[in-house]
Amino acid sequence: SQKIEQNSEALNIQEGKTATLTCNYTNYSPAYLQWYRQDPGRGPVFLLLIRENEKEKRKERLKVTFDTTLKQSLFHITASQPADSATYLCALGPNTDKLIFGTGTRLQVFP
Amino acid sequence: KAGVTQTPRYLIKTRGQQVTLSCSPISGHRSVSWYQQTPGQGLQFLFEYFSETQRNKGNFPGRFSGRQFSNSRSEMNVSTLELGDSALYLCASSLPGTTGANVLTFGAGSRLTVL
């Protein structure tokens, strides 16, 4: 069955460092991969989308890579800030079909 | 423009009861998806509606049902509630087909507690 794994439940890093979150999947060939941020008590918020034919996408301090051979996406937050503390979810989907979400990684950035 | 609105935000029910949750999508969005979020399972897909038709369905029992109205507003219903139905129920709307990718805008969720 399709399976999505995010590297760890929690990741703690110091302010100013680069946070790297991992999303691995099996038994699936997604057309695209998305990353969402979720704060406590709120719904997820879309951050970035990367398609299967793209290797890398950037948006301000965020960078996403997508390796369809390794079946893995890496999500980087450079110069991390305490305000980046949240749970980050990866999601995979084919076109016009449902998104499948990972269980998320809780990032804590300490001053 | 207004975001996705879910009501009620919090509710407490007892086993055996039923519950109806409501979702108003972003104006112009015709697709509405529902997800169940629990600490152990993460976000689990329930169903998706587009133009009043259920287009996709997740692996949930028949106690979980939904519908979409002509104004794109959606409701989901859970009958014969069980303790395990306690969760955050998230609704998301989207404009599928414009980019080939289903980018979701989520509401804040309805927190259901079953006692």
Side-chain angles (χ1 to χ4, degrees):
Chain A
S1 63
Q2 300 163 348
K3 193 173 181 182
I4 303 172
E5 289 184 338
Q6 296 193 237
N7 55 327
S8 59
E9 278 194 29
L11 179 65
N12 300 318
I13 66 166
Q14 192 174 22
E15 183 177 9
K17 302 291 187 184
T18 296
T20 298
L21 285 65
T22 305
C23 178
N24 295 292
Y25 60 93
T26 55
N27 298 325
Y28 202 56
S29 296
Y32 58 87
L33 186 147
Q34 302 179 22
W35 284 88
Y36 288 77
R37 168 183 172 142
Q38 186 173 23
D39 291 285
R42 294 174 173 258
V45 174
F46 170 75
L47 295 174
L48 280 168
L49 177 150
I50 186 166
R51 298 184 183 277
E52 59 179 335
N53 60 348
E54 298 174 318
K55 295 292 186 186
E56 182 179 299
K57 268 283 187 70
R58 291 175 184 261
K59 179 183 176 183
E60 298 173 354
R61 295 184 295 110
L62 309 180
K63 184 177 85 171
V64 173
T65 62
F66 193 11
D67 189 326
T68 54
T69 301
L70 291 178
K71 295 186 182 294
Q72 181 182 79
S73 174
L74 298 179
F75 178 79
H76 307 273
I77 305 176
T78 59
S80 59
Q81 306 165 1
D84 295 326
S85 299
T87 295
Y88 291 87
L89 303 160
C90 69
L92 285 76
N95 291 331
T96 69
D97 203 349
K98 61 182 183 289
L99 281 180
I100 300 175
F101 283 83
T103 51
T105 296
R106 190 171 64 252
L107 174 67
Q108 187 74 42
V109 181
F110 293 97
Chain B
K1 61 185 173 183
V4 178
T5 303
Q6 291 189 246
T7 56
R9 288 292 314 279
Y10 303 92
L11 65 165
I12 300 174
K13 294 285 187 178
T14 56
R15 279 184 300 174
Q17 287 187 309
Q18 74 157 15
V19 65
T20 298
L21 309 177
S22 179
C23 173
S24 293
I26 289 175
S27 178
H29 284 193
R30 293 167 63 193
S31 172
V32 173
S33 301
W34 288 89
Y35 288 81
Q36 180 196 66
Q37 186 174 34
T38 57
Q41 298 295 317
L43 272 88
Q44 301 289 309
F45 175 77
L46 281 158
F47 23 67
E48 181 202 3
Y49 288 88
F50 181 79
S51 294
E52 302 179 66
T53 301
Q54 188 180 86
R55 195 160 65 169
N56 286 298
K57 189 175 188 304
N59 296 323
F60 279 82
R63 300 186 296 107
F64 292 81
S65 62
R67 59 178 175 169
Q68 186 180 33
F69 302 95
S70 58
N71 61 358
S72 293
R73 191 177 69 85
S74 178
E75 288 181 347
M76 68 163 283
N77 184 77
V78 188
S79 62
T80 319
L81 284 166
E82 301 177 358
L83 295 178
D85 296 333
S86 294
L88 180 67
Y89 289 88
L90 290 161
C91 166
S93 71
S94 64
L95 276 171
T98 55
T99 63
N102 205 14
V103 175
L104 302 180
T105 301
F106 284 87
S110 293
R111 171 76 63 185
L112 170 65
T113 301
V114 182
L115 302 176

